[in-house]
Amino acid sequence: MAVLQLREALRAAMWEEMERDPNVFLIGEEVAEYNGAYKVSQGMLDHFGAKRVIDSPISETGFSGLGVGAAMMGLRPIIEFMTWNFSMVAADQILSNAARIRYMSGGQYSIPIVFRGPNGSAGQLGATHSNSFEFFYANVPGLKVVSISNPDDAKGLLKSAIRDEDPVLFMESEVMYGMKGEVSDHPEYLIPIGKARVGREGKHVTIVTWNKVYWTVMAAAEELAKIGYEAEVIDLRTIRPMDIPAVLQSIRKTNRCVVVDESNPLASIASEVAYRIQAEAFDHLDAPVLRVTNKDVPAPYAKNLIELWVPTVDEIVKACKAVMYAN
Amino acid sequence: MAIAVEMPKMSDTMEEGLLVAWLVDEGAKVKSGDVVAQVETDKATMDLEVYDDGVLLKRLIGEGESVPIGGLIAILGKENEDFSAILAKYGKAEGASPEVAMPVESAPPVLVPGPVVGEDGRIKASPLARKMAEEKGVSLSGIAGSGPEGRIVKRDVENVEPVAIPVVVPAPIPASVSAPKPTPVAPTPAPKPTMAIGGGHKSLKITPMRRTIARRLAESKFTAPHFYLQVEADMERAIAFRSEMNKLAESRKLSKISFNDLVTKACAVALRNHPMVNASYLESEGEIRLYDHVHVAIAVAVDEGLVTPVIRNADQKGLSQIAAETQELAGRARARTLEPADWEGSTFTTSNLGMFGIERFTAIINPPNAAILAIGTIRDVPVVKDSAIVPGKRMALSLSCDHRVVDGAVGAAFLSEVKQYLEEPNLLLL
């Protein structure tokens, strides 16, 4: 085990997989000469050379499409978006091509590609740079969507994503890149895609979450513990496929659930989780499933407003108390 | 690895099984093939065997409880083995501690006396609270809800004592409570959950067998258009014939034959000649099935209902053999040891209430049969013979026919032949 920053854990995953498999390469804006916009790929150009660590122009459609074609021909591209917000430009390559070519070719092609980059809000970046896009991509069959909350998961899941035969969308967060944590250095440290993790055990209420808002949830769970309530926190880790059995197992214990989703409320991942719980654990529910999401408006620029825009500790505590019928 | 013991499917029509008795204690060693419990299905009480060696770690249902097919009954394994994974798999709350004590810091629930009933007469309760109340056999109407707007929640039901006999009390609709705003609930003295004085009732749980009888007979009566044909048979010769035959049977140490056996044989021989009566109307398969064999079922009353064991190929069997089989099957029916093979596959059914002195009655067809014969008692009646009134012996027969297969003339021809055999039983020997 080593203590790494989350950015170092991601780098270690890519590094090890590129050492292991010469077909793996990295492409994106500023990934090579500049060592990555967030220094995730630091040193990789020097080590692997310009054929495998490739700087692209500002052309998301272009380098995403290049990646899809390369994957069809047997390579294993890692596409870095400077932020998932820019993936909107490449959405057609991801949704129409990467997701569907295996299906539409009758299985003649697989697309072993990873699209990765930071997701969600990260300080004062304005309305077009602060979106969480899990809900958008998780809607599409053919894509896997991973959304991590810590360095250890970053490494174990990114290695699994690179080895996966299908497109995996890997969502990080700018504000977590510097986060330090213990990370396995075993070359075969693979966390399976599709398995949730119990971040905190408890018996009074289940909180389902993922990505960086997980840490807001953990702070809320601490607040609840101070007044005697034990919250169980489920980190989904993978949005598609979603580990609903793990959620249900927890609901059967606590009988109550709050979903915390750093995204818009309508037609969201939180909606899906709440739907699945009521459909599959109705008789175990003692209260309606509540969700805490972003406020349903574009991201503000002002710092104090951003803090109100995303799920807050207070809101999470309040929702948990509501489903526990506590005052 | 602990092993789950599930409720097996013991008959074609079984949907759930009721655990009658445990024969093995928790912690006891069992071997593959050991009988660990008795299970009542819709038709019979059967032995539940285990298929593995091990220790009976946990009994998950009590005597008198039922679970659907595939439901968890018990867990086998090695001594002290952890089986929480199995419980989780079957959705059993693991060690749900009865005192999920809410933290003291939270203000005590505001107890309103009795539940708050909405304007539509519904009692507000969480799905979990409803399920818990049902499991405990308590009525929600006697519980005060501490949730928003008086919703009954888990903690409200947890403290309620289960009652011995589940009494389903319809939700009362007190007009005074249906105020538009729920805010300050007036402290009106609410009705206490006590039994009304006088005029009580006792509720019996619907057993799997009763449920099956109810379902099948309702299905038969509501889907098969019944019509009824009635005739009286002169039983004078049959009485003489029977006593003659029984003398012979006694000397040969064979089973004595009853009038019912005579009717069974008469029906069986007549069914051979009337294939449309020995048939099934199978709507879903788009066919009328005419059977090559004649399997006559005999309705037998047992303590909790009715079963219909089958005399197979009754047309080819002698009277004494029919008598012997009938006695054996009826005995096993009353002992609840029949197996599915004993009651499946009938092509026709007879039902006899003659022993209760019933003169005549009509019966509901036993699906998928096309007809059933109801047999009354043999009565002494005055009959007109050669212009004089003389004593006679008569037995009423009522044939219920499924008009989708059996038309009036077809049923009449069959019934008339049955009557002919009973009036001249020697024909049965030809």
Side-chain angles (χ1 to χ4, degrees):
Chain A
M1 296 289 258
V3 174
L4 299 182
Q5 289 185 343
L6 190 138
R7 63 161 61 81
E8 292 167 339
L10 293 168
R11 186 189 310 142
M14 292 194 289
W15 200 293
E16 287 174 16
E17 292 306 302
M18 285 174 69
E19 291 278 17
R20 194 182 66 84
D21 183 349
N23 289 321
V24 180
F25 71 95
L26 173 68
I27 185 169
E29 292 152 10
E30 299 182 356
V31 298
E33 297 288 349
Y34 191 67
N35 287 311
Y38 296 96
K39 301 292 175 269
V40 171
S41 53
Q42 188 150 33
M44 290 179 69
L45 172 65
D46 291 345
H47 186 80
F48 293 102
K51 279 192 168 178
R52 296 184 68 194
V53 181
I54 305 162
D55 269 330
S56 74
I58 300 177
S59 59
E60 277 77 8
T61 304
F63 65 79
S64 295
L66 178 149
V68 172
M72 287 175 76
M73 299 315 291
L75 299 182
R76 305 183 84 88
I78 303 169
I79 309 292
E80 180 178 306
F81 292 123
M82 199 176 284
T83 152
W84 274 98
N85 291 279
F86 301 164
S87 77
M88 289 297 102
V89 182
D92 184 52
Q93 287 299 342
I94 302 173
L95 303 179
S96 303
N97 294 331
R100 291 167 182 157
I101 281 172
R102 179 197 275 283
Y103 175 78
M104 297 208 300
S105 72
Q108 293 181 82
Y109 292 100
S110 57
I111 309 291
I113 192 170
V114 174
F115 298 92
R116 51 156 288 271
N119 180 55
S121 70
Q124 293 171 270
L125 294 173
T128 59
H129 289 62
S130 304
N131 298 289
S132 293
F133 279 118
E134 304 93 309
F135 79 96
F136 181 80
Y137 290 111
N139 188 249
V140 182
L143 299 179
K144 294 176 181 172
V145 180
V146 174
S147 189
I148 51 152
S149 71
N150 63 75
D152 191 49
D153 286 356
K155 184 174 179 196
L157 279 161
L158 184 55
K159 283 172 73 79
S160 293
I162 295 168
R163 295 190 191 187
D164 203 284
E165 291 303 317
D166 291 304
V168 179
L169 282 56
F170 199 90
M171 307 203 171
E172 303 148 16
S173 167
E174 289 100 315
V175 297
M176 290 197 302
Y177 283 134
M179 172 186 292
K180 284 183 178 172
E182 290 219 326
V183 176
S184 168
D185 43 22
H186 192 282
E188 290 299 303
Y189 184 60
L190 301 168
I191 296 174
I193 291 174
K195 289 284 173 207
R197 179 177 71 89
V198 178
R200 188 182 205 285
E201 296 210 19
K203 60 184 177 184
H204 293 128
V205 59
T206 299
I207 312 177
V208 179
T209 191
W210 59 94
N211 208 248
K212 78 163 185 290
V213 75
Y214 169 84
W215 297 102
T216 317
V217 167
M218 289 302 265
E222 284 303 316
E223 289 300 311
L224 287 165
K226 283 181 199 161
I227 51 169
Y229 296 102
E230 293 302 327
E232 178 145 304
V233 178
I234 307 275
D235 179 2
L236 280 184
R237 301 202 286 197
T238 305
I239 307 304
R240 182 185 186 116
M242 192 182 284
D243 193 357
I244 286 296
V247 174
L248 298 179
Q249 190 178 348
S250 178
I251 303 295
R252 291 192 199 102
K253 182 165 73 168
T254 63
N255 309 123
R256 306 160 178 103
C257 185
V258 172
V259 190
V260 182
D261 178 353
E262 195 202 305
S263 184
N264 303 322
L266 185 84
S268 59
I269 302 301
S271 313
E272 172 69 13
V273 174
Y275 162 75
R276 295 287 295 274
I277 292 170
Q278 67 79 25
E280 294 171 45
F282 183 70
D283 283 333
H284 294 276
L285 284 178
D286 200 32
V289 178
L290 296 186
R291 60 185 180 186
V292 180
T293 65
N294 285 1
K295 312 308 165 289
D296 202 11
V297 292
Y301 178 80
K303 185 168 182 292
N304 57 345
L305 293 181
I306 292 172
E307 284 163 4
L308 291 175
W309 177 63
V310 295
T312 66
V313 169
D314 278 353
E315 287 169 336
I316 298 165
V317 168
K318 203 173 151 197
C320 289
K321 282 181 158 183
V323 298
M324 291 189 291
Y325 304 113
N327 298 304
Chain B
M1 180 66 190
I3 297 157
V5 180
E6 293 181 348
M7 178 61 70
K9 187 171 167 74
M10 292 168 161
S11 79
D12 274 354
T13 52
M14 172 175 174
E15 285 166 2
E16 60 174 23
L18 180 128
L19 198 127
V20 177
W22 278 107
L23 305 178
V24 172
D25 291 327
E26 280 182 7
K29 281 204 172 114
V30 293
K31 289 198 304 297
S32 171
D34 281 0
V35 176
V36 296
Q38 287 190 314
V39 170
E40 181 186 314
T41 71
D42 50 345
K43 295 278 174 55
T45 302
M46 301 177 81
D47 291 338
L48 179 78
E49 290 177 18
V50 292
Y51 303 112
D52 299 279
D53 300 344
V55 172
L56 189 76
L57 293 175
K58 181 85 186 160
R59 310 199 302 206
L60 283 146
I61 58 171
E63 296 181 352
E65 282 183 54
S66 9
V67 289
I69 291 169
L72 190 59
I73 299 176
I75 294 175
L76 289 187
K78 291 195 271 294
E79 223 158 319
N80 300 325
E81 192 174 348
D82 176 32
F83 50 81
S84 52
I86 294 186
L87 292 180
K89 187 180 156 206
Y90 285 84
K92 300 269 178 193
E94 185 185 352
S97 52
E99 69 294 304
V100 178
M102 277 293 155
V104 277
E105 283 84 348
S106 72
V110 184
L111 288 182
V112 289
V116 173
V117 180
E119 281 176 40
D120 56 358
R122 266 185 100 246
I123 295 174
K124 276 182 174 250
S126 76
L128 177 68
R130 278 182 195 280
K131 187 175 158 226
M132 288 171 65
E134 195 185 313
E135 282 169 0
K136 282 191 167 188
V138 297
S139 162
L140 288 172
S141 64
I143 301 173
S146 65
E149 293 171 34
R151 181 187 296 153
I152 299 167
V153 299
K154 181 181 176 183
R155 65 185 174 209
D156 303 323
V157 186
E158 270 170 349
N159 303 321
V160 177
E161 289 299 314
V163 294
I165 302 163
V167 181
V168 179
V169 183
I173 311 173
S176 61
V177 189
S178 59
K181 270 184 263 172
T183 24
V185 178
T188 42
K192 283 183 190 150
T194 50
M195 297 290 280
I197 299 161
H201 69 272
K202 187 180 166 193
S203 300
L204 299 177
K205 197 166 159 52
I206 297 173
T207 61
M209 173 184 268
R210 182 49 59 189
R211 182 168 287 136
T212 304
I213 292 172
R215 180 174 54 74
R216 283 171 53 86
L217 291 183
E219 185 184 292
S220 170
K221 186 82 177 178
F222 299 148
T223 59
H226 286 53
F227 70 89
Y228 310 95
L229 300 171
Q230 304 200 323
V231 76
E232 288 206 334
D234 177 351
M235 294 300 282
E236 213 132 352
R237 280 173 191 275
I239 291 166
F241 175 84
R242 174 172 170 261
S243 78
E244 192 107 335
M245 296 302 272
N246 279 344
K247 271 183 218 148
L248 293 172
E250 206 167 358
S251 68
R252 296 287 189 94
K253 298 211 161 42
L254 293 171
S255 295
K256 283 187 159 188
I257 61 171
S258 66
F259 287 108
N260 203 66
D261 300 329
L262 272 180
V263 179
T264 304
K265 177 71 177 175
C267 289
V269 176
L271 285 166
R272 250 295 129 243
N273 299 330
H274 298 271
M276 289 302 281
V277 184
N278 195 47
S280 290
Y281 183 85
L282 300 174
E283 171 110 54
S284 56
E285 284 158 54
E287 68 173 41
I288 290 171
R289 191 169 292 171
L290 309 180
Y291 297 101
D292 294 334
H293 52 266
V294 175
H295 292 348
V296 179
I298 294 163
V300 178
V302 296
D303 281 350
E304 291 182 17
L306 193 66
V307 287
T308 51
V310 180
I311 310 289
R312 278 163 216 284
N313 300 309
D315 57 327
Q316 293 164 29
K317 285 178 178 163
L319 281 164
S320 185
Q321 193 181 350
I322 289 175
E325 281 187 26
T326 305
Q327 281 163 27
E328 197 244 325
L329 288 170
R332 281 172 50 210
R334 281 185 275 270
R336 308 288 315 261
T337 59
L338 290 177
E339 287 169 15
D342 295 321
W343 65 71
E344 282 166 0
S346 73
T347 61
F348 184 83
T349 304
T350 66
S351 176
N352 190 343
L353 293 177
M355 57 291 234
F356 298 108
I358 299 297
E359 294 189 358
R360 62 182 69 231
F361 69 104
T362 56
I364 297 175
I365 296 165
N366 176 26
N369 294 174
I372 185 169
L373 186 71
I375 305 155
T377 190
I378 299 173
R379 293 136 42 225
D380 290 312
V381 291
V383 296
V384 180
K385 206 170 182 182
D386 302 330
S387 304
I389 296 178
V390 294
K393 300 278 189 187
R394 291 288 186 274
M395 183 171 81
L397 299 174
S398 305
L399 185 71
S400 309
C401 304
D402 179 351
H403 213 326
R404 296 176 302 177
V405 204
V406 181
D407 293 331
V410 173
F414 166 76
L415 187 57
S416 134
E417 191 170 326
V418 173
K419 171 181 149 90
Q420 205 185 343
Y421 288 134
L422 292 174
E423 292 185 342
E424 186 40 272
N426 286 325
L427 288 172
L428 293 174
L429 306 177
L430 288 178

